Amino acid sequence: MTVTVTVTQRQTRVAWIEAAYRELARAGERGVAITALAARLGVTKGSFYWHFKDRTELLRALLDRWAHERTDEMLRMSLGSTGDTRERLRRIQALGREVAPIDRAMRLWAQHDKDAAEAVRQADRALLAHIAACLEELDFTPEESRLRALLMLRTWAGGYLVQGPPGDLGPDPDARMLEILLAR
Amino acid sequence: MTVTVTVTQRQTRVAWIEAAYRELARAGERGVAITALAARLGVTKGSFYWHFKDRTELLRALLDRWAHERTDEMLRMSLGSTGDTRERLRRIQALGREVAPIDRAMRLWAQHDKDAAEAVRQADRALLAHIAACLEELDFTPEESRLRALLMLRTWAGGYLVQGPPGDLGPDPDARMLEILLAR
DNA sequence: TCATCTCCATACTCCATAGTACGGTGACCA
DNA sequence: TGGTCACCGTACTATGGAGTATGGAGATGA
């Protein structure tokens, strides 16, 4: 009955990954500290090094965890596709705000880690293709669509690095930014 | 003749700051390690702790160093103002590419340091105002100008976090991105 | 009942880096 | 020529976090 054994082990291993994932979204990759996570889970490091070889193995598991979550989001984006293309883009924008903490953490992590950079790159490739497909429906050329998709993604991610100014930006700046990116 | 003494001291102190500044641009705030800098300068930590109270004092000096450099750049931008507004914006864009390493390091540092965040915020306030002023010359309303200036800055900074896709973007993507941000 | 296996606690080591104590050297000055 | 001082080398301590060695508790099956 190795099956039961495996299930039980994976349960606790998943608990570690989930806790680490929350901490990653909250405090970044550097915040994923084994001792602190153990305290949060009510156990000690002894538990961790039973389920994982080392910290790197946990971090790789976090990359997988994130990649799968992103894939699910992409599927939800494709399935819940309204007829209105602008509405689809607005939903992508809203989804971006929703996943901002973990997205931010991943992109910052990718700045100094090759594997994280590759994960982000793969995810962005799919997201950019999806946005570009939306733009082609609005009669932009494929080349122009790819360029504007990149522009949108950089604008959203740039929000992590550039805060809004003190001056008044008017009502619903996000919606108006989207309109600017769709103007010819 | 304490004057001579002071000058000599400041020379070496400045050497430390310059070396740290280069390392900041190259490897980020975490890369500013005292022992490594000492080796690069051909001295030991004993020298460092003569000129600085601790590592924090060096980091604060780096913030000042950067803020002054940014002020100088803003002055150069204002002085070398051509009549053509689009040309001015292109020059700002080019200047952004030029200072990308240190700019990137500062923004990443600002993600987990309050003082660095404040320094970036102050610098961005001036830069955004300058870009917005350019946009007003192109007959955008003040509100619209502030919004588009923010859009531009976020796009440029977003380039640190989002790499270009494998697909072809056509000739001179930066210039065409600028045109998109100027379209109505 | 005892033998084994899973899971975890305890108590360490190891390593990198910040920071300190103190002594030495060379220049300059009275 | 002896004294002072700026400047730095040497050798330490302190700290935080990763990783290890080992034993023990509890379940489980023969």
Side-chain angles (χ1 to χ4, degrees):
Chain A
M1 288 300 163
T2 45
V3 176
T4 318
V5 170
T6 308
V7 166
T8 308
Q9 174 180 348
R10 284 207 177 142
Q11 273 296 347
T12 315
R13 181 186 166 95
V14 165
W16 273 98
I17 294 175
E18 286 305 306
Y21 197 71
R22 281 192 296 272
E23 203 57 24
L24 173 65
R26 202 187 63 83
E29 177 260 348
R30 263 182 30 184
V32 181
I34 291 158
T35 309
L37 285 176
R40 183 173 292 249
L41 288 175
V43 290
T44 65
K45 292 191 300 181
S47 171
F48 177 82
Y49 286 99
W50 170 256
H51 294 287
F52 300 88
K53 176 179 169 291
D54 52 17
R55 183 171 176 270
T56 301
E57 188 182 323
L58 173 63
L59 294 180
R60 296 294 167 268
L62 292 182
L63 291 185
D64 282 355
R65 169 77 168 77
W66 179 75
H68 283 113
E69 196 171 87
R70 280 292 266 235
T71 304
D72 291 349
E73 286 159 8
M74 292 295 298
L75 280 177
R76 273 167 39 200
M77 276 168 43
S78 298
L79 292 178
S81 53
T82 325
D84 186 14
T85 306
R86 274 187 159 74
E87 178 59 25
R88 298 229 312 262
L89 288 172
R90 271 191 290 272
R91 287 192 183 179
I92 296 176
Q93 202 176 14
L95 188 59
R97 275 190 298 270
E98 198 178 312
V99 301
I102 187 64
D103 187 66
R104 190 181 96 119
M106 285 296 307
R107 293 188 186 282
L108 294 179
W109 182 11
Q111 298 305 303
H112 62 265
D113 183 285
K114 221 166 153 38
D115 293 329
E118 184 55 32
V120 169
R121 195 179 185 79
Q122 291 297 330
D124 278 352
R125 182 195 294 254
L127 182 55
L128 285 170
H130 188 261
I131 298 175
C134 290
L135 293 175
E136 285 191 42
E137 289 181 11
L138 295 175
D139 289 329
F140 288 107
T141 70
E143 192 181 280
E144 181 81 6
S145 296
R146 281 194 295 270
L147 190 66
R148 288 184 186 246
L150 183 58
L151 203 47
M152 286 186 186
L153 198 47
R154 285 187 173 173
T155 299
W156 299 340
Y160 305 143
L161 302 182
V162 183
Q163 299 304 314
D168 188 19
L169 294 175
D172 205 348
D174 285 337
R176 285 167 54 222
M177 283 191 184
L178 183 57
E179 285 308 313
I180 292 172
L181 294 175
L182 293 178
R184 292 160 205 270
Chain B
M1 290 304 163
T2 45
V3 176
T4 318
V5 170
T6 307
V7 167
T8 308
Q9 174 180 349
R10 285 212 177 138
Q11 273 296 348
T12 314
R13 183 187 164 94
V14 165
W16 273 98
I17 293 175
E18 287 304 306
Y21 196 71
R22 281 191 297 270
E23 203 57 25
L24 174 65
R26 200 186 63 83
E29 177 260 348
R30 263 182 30 183
V32 181
I34 292 158
T35 309
L37 284 177
R40 184 173 291 247
L41 288 175
V43 290
T44 63
K45 292 190 302 181
S47 170
F48 177 82
Y49 287 99
W50 169 257
H51 294 289
F52 300 88
K53 177 180 169 291
D54 52 19
R55 185 171 176 269
T56 301
E57 188 182 325
L58 173 63
L59 294 179
R60 296 293 166 269
L62 292 182
L63 291 184
D64 281 356
R65 168 78 167 78
W66 180 75
H68 283 113
E69 195 170 86
R70 280 292 268 235
T71 304
D72 290 349
E73 286 159 9
M74 292 295 298
L75 281 176
R76 273 168 38 200
M77 277 168 42
S78 297
L79 291 178
S81 53
T82 326
D84 186 13
T85 306
R86 272 186 160 74
E87 178 59 25
R88 298 228 311 262
L89 288 172
R90 272 190 291 271
R91 287 192 183 180
I92 297 176
Q93 203 178 11
L95 187 60
R97 275 189 298 270
E98 198 177 313
V99 301
I102 186 64
D103 187 65
R104 189 181 96 119
M106 285 295 307
R107 293 188 187 281
L108 293 179
W109 182 11
Q111 299 304 305
H112 62 265
D113 184 285
K114 220 168 153 39
D115 292 330
E118 184 56 30
V120 170
R121 194 180 185 80
Q122 291 297 330
D124 279 352
R125 183 196 295 255
L127 181 55
L128 285 169
H130 188 261
I131 297 176
C134 290
L135 293 175
E136 284 191 43
E137 289 180 12
L138 295 175
D139 289 332
F140 289 107
T141 69
E143 192 182 279
E144 182 81 5
S145 297
R146 282 194 294 270
L147 189 66
R148 288 184 185 248
L150 183 58
L151 203 47
M152 286 185 185
L153 197 48
R154 285 187 173 173
T155 299
W156 299 339
Y160 306 143
L161 301 183
V162 183
Q163 299 303 316
D168 189 18
L169 295 174
D172 204 348
D174 284 338
R176 286 168 51 223
M177 283 191 184
L178 183 57
E179 285 308 315
I180 292 172
L181 294 175
L182 293 177
R184 289 162 207 269

